[in-house]
Amino acid sequence: MATTAKIAADARRRRTVERYAERRAALKERVRRAEPGSAELADAVRALSRLPRDSSPVRVRNRDQVDGRPRGYLRKAGVSRITFRALAHRGELPGITTSSW
């Protein structure tokens, strides 16, 4: 299980990403439309770099919804491989069956 601080930090990052998403998208559009080497491009890049570091969606980490584990995350289920296996054995995941041969 992940520490409470790590889970809280990730939740804080998610809120920051939401808060700055519109502003960040507008600045990235300005960067894309600006002529290479122009002053407008430099201004847009400078404004983008002044945004908080945690406002970038790349900094958000996928975590297990049950215990916050960051590794072995399965996107389809939203949990880690360990939790997925436990839930599947208990029959709590619809459409998932265990196989044997």
Side-chain angles (χ1 to χ4, degrees), residues 23-35:
R23 197 178 319 177
R24 189 172 193 81
L27 286 171
K28 287 183 81 72
E29 184 64 27
R30 276 181 50 197
V31 167
R32 192 174 30 194
R33 291 181 185 264
E35 291 291 324

Side-chain angles (χ1 to χ4, degrees), residues 2 4 19 22 26 29 31 35 42 47 49 54 59 64 68 71 79 81 83-84 89 97-98:
T4 308
R19 189 179 314 131
E22 206 171 294
E29 184 64 27
V31 167
E35 291 291 324
S49 69
D54 282 343
R59 292 178 64 91
D64 186 333
R71 301 214 178 179
V79 294
R81 60 186 175 79
T83 307
F84 181 84
H89 280 298
T97 57
T98 57

Side-chain angles (χ1 to χ4, degrees), residues 44-81:
V45 169
R46 202 171 305 115
L48 195 57
S49 69
R50 279 195 302 260
L51 290 178
R53 184 176 286 174
D54 282 343
S55 69
S56 175
V58 172
R59 292 178 64 91
V60 173
R61 179 79 188 213
N62 287 332
R63 289 184 173 271
D64 186 333
Q65 292 176 357
V66 177
D67 63 0
R69 188 175 201 280
R71 301 214 178 179
Y73 180 80
L74 301 172
R75 288 177 187 234
K76 194 168 188 176
V79 294
S80 69
R81 60 186 175 79

